[in-house]
Amino acid sequence: ETIKVTIGIPVYNGAKFIKETLDSVASQSYTGIKVLIIDDCSTDDSVKIIQNWLIGKGERYKLILNSNNLGLLKCSNIILSQAKTTYFQLLGHDDIIYPNKIEDEVKLLESTDDTVAMVYCNMHVIDILGNKISSSFFERAEYFGKPPDGNIYNELIKGNFINASSVLCKTNFMVTLGGYDENLF
């Protein structure tokens, strides 16, 4: 099978949640995925949990261990630089994705023209026990209308209603834009 999607997971002290995150990635209905996990010098048991989880998972999963703490954006760019796939997904170490997320978004991107850079979706906001604490991310971001499609720049100027973990993008757009701006916090 062709690997078309890279899911990148930057981790820093994610021991409480990383196993659930990895389980949700492994449970995807779309199987053309490689996973790059980068640990940014965690001081908890993150690395041990990840290494144990990776046993028997195969070559599609790779763990990168930083020797210095570099921060989220630098780690995201390291992952992006190794993503040689058509599509790219960054996922927080404490996020869980539904089983059809990647499959649905790949189908959507493959049905678009070359000017579409990304797709995104709504999310449930959950607490540390996995209980929903908000009916949707759009509402939590105080965006109550139907999210726009097409060129959404003007709507984003008013306020961000897109959660990064909901985005699947065409990797070449991210690379052309220079990746993540490491000057941002």
Side-chain angles (χ1 to χ4, degrees), residues 6 8 10 71-81 88-91 164-165 167-169 173-184:
T6 297
L72 176 62
L73 297 172
K74 212 175 264 299
C75 288
S76 300
N77 279 330
I78 290 169
I79 294 168
L80 180 61
S81 73
F88 180 75
Q89 159 85 47
L90 197 64
L91 188 63
S165 290
V167 174
L168 182 69
C169 64
F173 278 90
M174 290 291 295
V175 172
T176 300
L177 290 171
Y180 296 91
D181 185 346
E182 295 176 12
N183 295 314
L184 298 175

Side-chain angles (χ1 to χ4, degrees), residues 91-117:
L91 188 63
H93 70 230
D94 59 350
D95 291 334
I96 300 167
I97 53 177
Y98 286 114
N100 293 337
K101 180 204 186 293
I102 299 297
E103 181 178 9
D104 291 346
E105 290 183 341
V106 166
K107 283 180 187 173
L108 189 56
L109 277 172
E110 288 182 345
S111 72
T112 64
D113 64 34
D114 291 341
T115 64
V116 175

Side-chain angles (χ1 to χ4, degrees), residues 19-84:
K19 184 183 178 309
E20 286 181 273
T21 298
L22 293 170
D23 287 344
S24 77
V25 170
S27 297
Q28 289 300 296
S29 57
Y30 187 83
T31 56
I33 297 171
K34 76 173 181 176
V35 180
L36 299 176
I37 308 155
I38 185 167
D39 184 80
D40 199 22
C41 298
S42 291
T43 57
D44 64 4
D45 289 335
S46 294
V47 172
K48 182 179 177 182
I49 291 167
I50 295 165
Q51 288 172 331
N52 285 336
W53 187 91
L54 288 173
I55 295 170
K57 293 294 190 290
E59 296 176 5
R60 291 187 183 189
Y61 294 88
K62 179 181 177 185
L63 174 60
I64 301 164
L65 300 174
N66 285 350
S67 54
N68 298 309
N69 181 274
L70 302 176
L72 176 62
L73 297 172
K74 212 175 264 299
C75 288
S76 300
N77 279 330
I78 290 169
I79 294 168
L80 180 61
S81 73
Q82 295 188 28
K84 305 302 181 199

